[in-house]
């Protein structure tokens, strides 16, 4: 039985904050059409973060080139969202001791913690970069966690950071545990 094709979408818009909502709604429509509303909350938050980062980077660099959003389904039926802008430089994850009342600075950490995979690619000889994320990785045959030495080492490092009360190390160790778990035990294989 053939699976019906799932829709993809693209949106090109000026680097203006007013377009963040339109980008979010395009992704919402894509998820609704594909009947994957289980991904909606996370996808909308991450789309807002990535598009906002692109718009802010363009405005900070006085770059008026349009921002491009592509949202598509992989052959494994995972949502792949890519946002490309022409502003120079790449986004950097802020330190974990960022003030709790700060209104910005946590976007990449949120993406890192919420997406099944993500990354930033520079545009080679061209200016700009593409920030992307993937959602909807479903567990396949999982490898047993019992006996996984990497899991044990990463978890021991996390517990040690907790015992010492070192907040930046706790966050980094928790991210390392989660990243290893996803890549070694859930995703094994190609993302798209």
């Amino acid at each position: 039985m053939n699976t019906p094709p799932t829709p993809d979408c693209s949106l090109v818009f000026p680097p203006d904050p007013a377009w963040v909502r339109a980008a979010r709604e395009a992704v919402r429509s894509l998820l609704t059409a594909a009947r994957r509303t289980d991904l909606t909350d996370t996808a909308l938050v991450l789309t807002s973060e990535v598009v906002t980062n692109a718009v802010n980077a363009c405005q900070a660099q006085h770059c008026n080139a349009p921002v491009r959003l592509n949202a598509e389904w992989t052959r494994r039926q995972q949502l792949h969202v890519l946002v490309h802008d022409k502003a120079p430089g790449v986004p950097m994850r802020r330190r974990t001791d960022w003030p709790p009342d700060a209104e910005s600075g946590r976007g990449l950490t949120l993406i890192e913690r919420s997406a099944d995979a993500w990354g930033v690619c520079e545009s080679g000889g061209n200016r700009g970069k593409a920030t992307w994320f993937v959602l909807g990785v479903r567990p396949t045959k999982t490898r047993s966690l019992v006996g996984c030495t990497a899991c044990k080492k990463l978890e021991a490092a996390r517990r040690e950071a907790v015992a010492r009360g070192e907040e930046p190390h706790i966050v980094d160790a928790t991210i390392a545990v989660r990243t290893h778990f996803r890549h070694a035990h859930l995703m094994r294989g190609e993302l798209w």
Side-chain angles (χ1 to χ4, degrees):
M1 181 172 148
N2 289 338
T3 306
T6 50
D8 296 336
C9 73
S10 295
L11 183 64
V12 179
F13 50 93
D16 186 291
W19 284 89
V20 174
R21 181 177 182 182
R24 198 171 47 238
E25 291 307 312
V27 171
R28 179 193 307 273
S29 296
L30 176 76
L31 292 165
T32 301
R35 294 184 177 93
R36 287 301 308 271
T37 56
D38 56 305
L39 302 176
T40 300
D41 292 340
T42 303
L44 297 184
V45 168
L46 299 187
T47 298
S48 290
E49 290 295 335
V50 175
V51 172
T52 298
N53 283 351
V55 167
N56 288 346
C58 287
Q59 290 185 339
Q61 297 293 328
H62 306 290
C63 172
N64 293 322
V67 174
R68 185 178 72 239
L69 174 136
N70 292 318
E72 62 187 11
W73 294 98
T74 69
R75 63 179 174 239
R76 294 181 180 222
Q77 297 304 301
Q78 298 154 356
L79 177 66
H80 181 236
V81 175
L82 180 139
V83 176
H84 183 266
D85 67 76
K86 295 282 189 173
V90 295
M92 301 294 291
R93 187 166 62 93
R94 300 266 172 98
R95 297 185 344 245
T96 55
D97 60 349
W98 199 247
D101 57 345
E103 292 185 19
S104 65
R106 294 189 199 89
L108 289 182
T109 301
L110 177 65
I111 294 165
E112 185 173 50
R113 291 179 180 174
S114 302
D116 292 312
W118 75 282
V120 178
C121 305
E122 291 187 83
S123 298
N126 297 329
R127 289 185 342 152
K129 72 273 184 191
T131 305
W132 58 269
F133 65 86
V134 175
L135 293 175
V137 174
R138 293 184 176 144
T140 55
K141 293 181 181 178
T142 58
R143 227 171 61 197
S144 171
L145 305 182
V146 177
C148 177
T149 55
C151 282
K152 290 177 184 176
K153 287 179 184 177
L154 291 168
E155 186 55 37
R158 191 191 67 75
R159 280 194 303 269
E160 187 176 315
V162 169
R164 287 192 310 253
E166 298 171 337
E167 188 64 30
H169 295 295
I170 294 169
V171 171
D172 289 341
T174 301
I175 290 169
V177 168
R178 183 173 178 167
T179 300
H180 165 76
F181 180 80
R182 283 186 174 182
H183 290 284
H185 302 290
L186 291 181
M187 294 183 354
R188 298 180 63 201
E190 291 181 60
L191 284 176
W192 51 82

